[in-house]
Amino acid sequence: MSRRSLKAELLEQRLSQNLFTAQCVKEGEAEAAKQLSIPLFDVMQLAGKKLFQWVTEHFEHTANILVAVGTGNNGGDGYIAARLLLEHGYNVRLASIDPTRTLNGDAAQALSMWISAGGEVATLKLSELNQADLIVDGLLGTGLKGPVKSSYGSIIKTINQTSAHVLSIDIPSGLDADSGAILDVCIEADTTITFVGIKTGLVTGFGRQISGELIFEPLNIGERFNQITEPAARLIAHADFAPLLQRAQNSHKGNNGKLLCIGGNNGMAGAIRLCAEAALRSGTGLVKVFCHPNSTAAIMHGRAELMVTSEDLSQLLEWADCVVFGPGVGQDSWSLEIFSQLFTYISHHDKPLIIDADGLNLLSKQPRKLALSFLIMSPHSAEAARLLNTDVDSVERDRYAAASALAETYAASCILKGAGSIVHNSQGAFVCANGNPGMSTAGMGDVLTGILGSLAAQGMSAADTSLYGTCVHSAAADLVAENYGQRGMIASDLFDYLRRLVN
């Protein structure tokens, strides 16, 4: 295998990988149903049936079930589910935020069927929420954009304080379906069943946290819906990739990539050490580290395979197939000099470059498009805010927009790290389905940077590197959590699992 043949090939695309905006789902659902000659009320009935089936699989007849509805189609789904539960002998009660409100269309028909089955519509009272074992959240749907009204807000806050299991219909009430931002206050669901198309806001940032277990139901129109609509992003996991190609029997270290890792300022040797070792464990043939003179011994200790130096940066840049810049580099006079040397070289040599950590902070002070054919940036939200001259809250309110702006501003493939890391590259926007809260620990980003540098040095394209690298890194962390738990996970725990996954 030649060094330049390394690729990350995706397996066949699934319906559950596509992510859509709320408006796209609304319009596409109607058109798909029309093309299939399926009345939209039949689609609503199937949604209610899916909710009913989930409840019957998880709760006994004796459970105290409260279906809380608003005035939209989410409420219609709730009426249908409640009717089916009532007809099957379940202890179910339905309460509305506004029982006097006249419903329209399919929701009105669903209400009529609930009444005909002997159901009643009570007023949703705060005092009764604590009595429920299961609360079905049908209060607000995907069309919500502004702040949640106070009448809904008090209900939502009380639901979040109960011990009941909360099942959200389509989306947790109060969540922006597109961005995943919380619109003042939001239901914290234990389970969310979303229909027809997965909404972009459910899988990243706050949305990933408060959706709980996410279940997707295409409702018999999913295939046609996907044929006629364009996804805004795709949900991707390590399991979606075919295995990397095996190496040729006569391969040698020189054609398995030469990576230069720049960082490790005085007192910050650990970051670049983690980065460089991650690169070795990801299959790089040769890894050199350029660091502060006071850091060389600490980086070399216990890992003889690393070549470490603090001299002749220009020669190292010429030697490398790919350059990583940032882990532990700091922001003092030494780091500024290295930053200047690197970017002077890069401006005349189009070579793959990975920037992370303080490399991004240095770049934010001198923002520029680097005009490279291969550039990957991997900021967390605070680094992204500096790069975009904004604040962390603005980044987290719309992570998709932030990732897109970074990719455009710096002409780079961007990995916006966090819950549901977003990869924005030449192929579009992707959300990593792997990962867990145990990754919130020092050095985890440095390991990702080393993986990215390794794949790039071995010849993988920028788009493939950003996608596969993000997923394999998070998948390794998931294996650590599966075997040992999330608490206490440290960055170097990933190495053995990373090595297993790339093979």
Side-chain angles (χ1 to χ4, degrees):
M1 181 190 75
S2 68
R3 189 180 60 80
R4 293 298 173 190
S5 67
L6 187 61
K7 295 181 180 180
E9 296 181 353
L10 283 168
L11 300 174
E12 184 177 353
Q13 185 173 333
R14 303 187 309 275
L15 296 183
S16 58
Q17 287 181 312
N18 289 336
L19 305 173
F20 301 90
T21 63
Q23 186 63 27
C24 182
V25 173
K26 181 179 179 180
E27 295 174 356
E29 176 182 7
E31 181 60 26
K34 178 181 177 181
Q35 291 185 15
L36 294 169
S37 299
I38 299 175
L40 278 175
F41 184 67
D42 288 358
V43 178
M44 177 179 281
Q45 289 201 93
L46 184 54
K49 184 177 180 181
K50 293 296 183 182
L51 294 165
F52 161 75
Q53 290 172 341
W54 184 92
V55 174
T56 61
E57 291 170 3
H58 293 85
F59 286 85
E60 301 290 339
H61 285 75
T62 54
N64 190 343
I65 301 170
L66 173 64
V67 180
V69 299
T71 57
N73 278 352
N74 268 25
D77 298 341
Y79 284 115
I80 291 169
R83 175 178 59 81
L84 291 170
L85 289 166
L86 183 67
E87 291 174 346
H88 285 77
Y90 277 80
N91 179 23
V92 59
R93 182 172 178 273
L94 188 141
S96 172
I97 193 80
D98 184 5
T100 65
R101 177 78 172 268
T102 300
L103 301 183
N104 299 310
D106 294 336
Q109 187 174 349
L111 168 60
S112 177
M113 293 174 69
W114 161 252
I115 298 296
S116 297
E120 298 179 354
V121 182
T123 299
L124 192 54
K125 297 179 180 179
L126 296 177
S127 59
E128 298 175 345
L129 292 171
N130 279 312
Q131 300 172 16
D133 299 308
L134 168 66
I135 297 175
V136 180
D137 159 37
L139 294 170
L140 296 166
T142 60
L144 182 69
K145 289 300 176 187
V148 172
K149 293 179 180 179
S150 58
S151 56
Y152 282 89
S154 58
I155 294 291
I156 290 171
K157 290 177 182 177
T158 303
I159 289 175
N160 288 341
Q161 293 170 356
T162 70
S163 59
H165 188 103
V166 179
L167 169 65
S168 284
I169 301 174
D170 207 26
I171 192 166
S173 294
L175 183 72
D176 187 300
D178 294 342
S179 69
I182 294 175
L183 298 173
D184 188 42
V185 62
C186 184
I187 286 287
E188 297 170 8
D190 297 290
T191 307
T192 299
I193 303 180
T194 197
F195 302 115
V196 182
I198 300 176
K199 290 73 187 173
T200 51
L202 290 170
V203 294
T204 191
F206 294 115
R208 176 159 167 160
Q209 168 66 30
I210 62 178
S211 298
E213 179 190 12
L214 182 62
I215 300 170
F216 170 56
E217 293 288 354
L219 301 183
N220 291 345
I221 63 172
E223 287 192 14
R224 181 59 59 89
F225 171 82
N226 274 269
Q227 291 169 2
I228 63 176
T229 53
E230 186 68 27
R234 286 184 62 194
L235 189 65
I236 203 79
H238 180 261
D240 297 321
F241 292 88
L244 298 180
L245 295 175
Q246 294 294 313
R247 288 176 170 171
Q249 292 295 323
N250 63 345
S251 67
H252 58 83
K253 61 186 180 184
N255 60 23
N256 286 321
K258 296 178 289 184
L259 178 66
L260 173 62
C261 301
I262 302 175
N265 203 334
N266 188 24
M268 293 188 285
I272 202 68
R273 163 64 184 268
L274 286 167
C275 172
E277 186 162 354
L280 286 173
R281 293 301 186 186
S282 301
T284 316
L286 294 165
V287 178
K288 291 185 178 182
V289 175
F290 179 88
C291 64
H292 190 280
N294 292 345
S295 297
T296 55
I299 297 169
M300 293 174 64
H301 181 73
R303 183 53 62 218
E305 296 86 352
L306 292 175
M307 296 172 281
V308 185
T309 183
S310 58
E311 300 176 349
D312 298 323
L313 179 57
S314 60
Q315 291 184 22
L316 295 173
L317 291 168
E318 283 291 332
W319 167 86
D321 294 318
C322 174
V323 178
V324 161
F325 177 67
V329 79
Q331 299 182 61
D332 62 6
S333 57
W334 178 83
S335 59
L336 288 171
E337 174 60 26
I338 301 306
F339 178 83
S340 177
Q341 289 185 50
L342 171 63
F343 282 89
T344 297
Y345 177 87
I346 286 294
S347 65
H348 296 94
H349 302 81
D350 190 2
K351 184 167 288 192
L353 176 64
I354 317 292
I355 312 178
D356 185 39
D358 274 332
L360 297 171
N361 293 327
L362 291 170
L363 182 62
S364 69
K365 297 175 182 178
Q366 303 179 47
R368 66 185 84 176
K369 280 191 177 181
L370 301 178
L372 295 176
S373 60
F374 191 124
L375 173 62
I376 298 177
M377 307 167 67
S378 52
H380 53 56
S381 56
E383 292 160 347
R386 297 183 196 107
L387 288 162
L388 294 172
N389 193 28
T390 185
D391 55 71
V392 173
D393 287 343
S394 296
V395 171
E396 286 298 313
R397 275 197 298 271
D398 195 339
R399 287 169 54 79
Y400 291 98
S404 176
L406 286 165
E408 171 64 24
T409 302
Y410 293 92
S413 293
C414 174
I415 303 165
L416 181 55
K417 295 181 291 194
S421 292
I422 297 176
V423 179
H424 200 291
N425 60 29
S426 60
Q427 298 175 357
F430 300 81
V431 180
C432 179
N434 298 113
N436 64 81
M439 299 174 72
S440 303
T441 185
M444 200 63 70
D446 303 315
V447 170
L448 172 60
T449 305
I451 295 169
L452 298 172
S454 174
L455 298 172
Q458 293 176 73
M460 192 176 280
S461 70
D464 285 351
T465 294
S466 57
L467 271 181
Y468 183 81
T470 301
C471 290
V472 75
H473 172 251
S474 296
D478 286 344
L479 288 174
V480 174
E482 180 182 325
N483 284 277
Y484 299 103
Q486 295 178 7
R487 285 189 175 90
M489 184 188 303
I490 61 175
S492 59
D493 287 341
L494 271 61
F495 291 154
D496 287 345
Y497 296 96
L498 174 61
R499 182 180 180 188
R500 183 186 304 175
L501 290 172
V502 297
N503 281 289

